[in-house]
Amino acid sequence: MRIGILDDSELEITQMEMVIDEHSKIKDIEYTYFFPFKEIEIEKDMVKASILSHIIEETIDAIIIDESIVHKYWNMKGSEIFLEIEKIVPKFPSVILTNYTEQTKENRNIDSDKIYFKKIFLDISDNQSAELVNNFIRNIINYIEIKKKLESERSTAIEKYINNPTNENLGDILEIESNLKLYKYINHSEVESILDKEYNKSNLADVLKLIDSIERIVDDE
């Protein structure tokens, strides 16, 4: 399991690791850190891009975000990157740590169960801390399992289409990918690849008819 951390305090990062390692039933967790040294001249957007890149490339399975990031040259709210993550992978396990839970909850685009009170989370002796950690780890495990299941179903559906290239079987791939996009960044879908091949050997009218028939099949389901 690989967890990313965005925080501007080395002490708090160390505390996070200790709390997670203490309460989690999953051992050998790998951590990736996204905050640069404060003296380094780096743009805020580069930090965001690095996090999104790791998610797209699937090199982390979850992320913990401090609500207040203070760099020598800029400040950033953790909710900014949280919402960026939701845009590309809506179900990606992300939580925000904050000392101001009510202030963060004012942003109605963020589910309240994704906001953890930092003081409680980092208190290794607090039972609520253990509960928050276990909830976070459980969400990560569920996310990984669902993503793998959908990826397997897509592979099976693609093989089925190759053996029997019907619109209905193509529609099955489309339906699976529409669900998989919630858990995985997909820039160019398998359906688009298939349609590209169909376009190369058919005229545009035929391809448009194929797309229309697929959409009707999915809508009917």
Side-chain angles (χ1 to χ4, degrees), residues 42-52 74 76 80:
I42 185 172
E43 296 294 330
K44 177 169 65 173
D45 288 344
M46 291 180 66
V47 177
K48 290 183 180 181
S50 176
I51 293 173
L52 297 178
W74 46 261
M76 177 172 66
E80 291 180 39

Side-chain angles (χ1 to χ4, degrees), residues 161 167 170 191-216:
Y161 176 81
N167 292 350
L170 192 58
V191 171
E192 289 172 330
S193 298
I194 292 170
L195 292 177
D196 286 344
K197 294 177 182 178
E198 292 294 331
Y199 179 79
N200 288 332
K201 62 183 181 182
S202 307
N203 60 50
L204 180 59
D206 290 338
V207 174
L208 292 174
K209 288 180 182 178
L210 177 60
I211 294 173
D212 181 64
S213 63
I214 294 170
E215 290 178 343
R216 286 202 304 273

Side-chain angles (χ1 to χ4, degrees), residues 83-95:
L83 295 174
E84 290 291 328
I85 292 170
E86 281 205 329
K87 288 179 183 178
I88 63 168
V89 184
K91 296 293 186 178
F92 191 80
S94 309
V95 296

Side-chain angles (χ1 to χ4, degrees), residues 4-212:
I5 297 177
L6 175 60
D7 197 303
D8 59 8
S9 167
E10 292 185 21
L11 174 61
E12 289 185 352
I13 290 173
T14 301
Q15 288 178 304
M16 287 182 207
E17 292 185 9
M18 291 177 60
V19 166
I20 293 173
D21 292 341
E22 172 69 20
H23 297 309
S24 172
K25 296 178 181 179
I26 303 295
K27 304 304 177 183
D28 300 322
I29 295 175
E30 298 178 11
Y31 296 96
T32 300
Y33 315 104
F34 294 105
F35 186 75
F37 292 110
K38 293 187 178 183
E39 62 270 18
I40 294 178
E41 295 187 25
I42 185 172
E43 296 294 330
K44 177 169 65 173
D45 288 344
M46 291 180 66
V47 177
K48 290 183 180 181
S50 176
I51 293 173
L52 297 178
S53 176
H54 274 74
I55 293 172
I56 290 171
E57 295 172 7
E58 300 183 61
T59 54
I60 58 173
D61 303 306
I63 188 168
I64 300 173
I65 305 168
D66 189 3
E67 170 59 10
S68 178
I69 304 296
V70 181
H71 188 270
K72 182 178 180 180
Y73 301 100
W74 46 261
N75 296 338
M76 177 172 66
K77 289 185 177 180
S79 52
E80 291 180 39
I81 186 62
F82 182 95
L83 295 174
E84 290 291 328
I85 292 170
E86 281 205 329
K87 288 179 183 178
I88 63 168
V89 184
K91 296 293 186 178
F92 191 80
S94 309
V95 296
I96 294 179
L97 291 187
T98 179
N99 291 320
Y100 311 99
T101 52
E102 294 305 320
Q103 179 180 346
T104 307
K105 287 178 182 178
E106 289 177 4
N107 191 329
R108 297 182 180 179
N109 294 321
I110 301 177
D111 293 336
S112 59
D113 61 351
K114 301 289 184 69
I115 303 169
Y116 290 179
F117 189 37
K118 185 186 296 184
K119 184 177 180 180
I120 294 176
F121 184 83
L122 296 181
D123 186 350
I124 199 168
S125 63
D126 194 322
N127 290 333
Q128 292 185 66
S129 173
E131 184 179 340
L132 290 173
V133 169
N134 287 324
N135 182 63
F136 183 49
I137 297 298
R138 184 166 52 250
N139 288 339
I140 299 173
I141 293 172
N142 289 340
Y143 164 81
I144 293 173
E145 290 179 348
I146 293 173
K147 183 174 69 170
K148 286 183 177 179
K149 179 175 179 291
L150 289 170
E151 288 174 331
S152 177
E153 289 178 354
R154 181 176 64 170
S155 297
T156 300
I158 291 171
E159 184 176 352
K160 183 178 179 182
Y161 176 81
I162 292 173
N163 295 326
N164 184 22
T166 65
N167 292 350
E168 182 177 358
N169 288 340
L170 192 58
D172 290 341
I173 300 174
L174 182 64
E175 183 178 9
I176 293 169
E177 285 198 330
S178 66
N179 292 323
L180 184 57
K181 285 181 179 179
L182 298 174
Y183 297 86
K184 176 187 180 78
Y185 178 77
I186 300 177
N187 183 38
H188 194 73
S189 70
E190 290 296 331
V191 171
E192 289 172 330
S193 298
I194 292 170
L195 292 177
D196 286 344
K197 294 177 182 178
E198 292 294 331
Y199 179 79
N200 288 332
K201 62 183 181 182
S202 307
N203 60 50
L204 180 59
D206 290 338
V207 174
L208 292 174
K209 288 180 182 178
L210 177 60
I211 294 173
D212 181 64

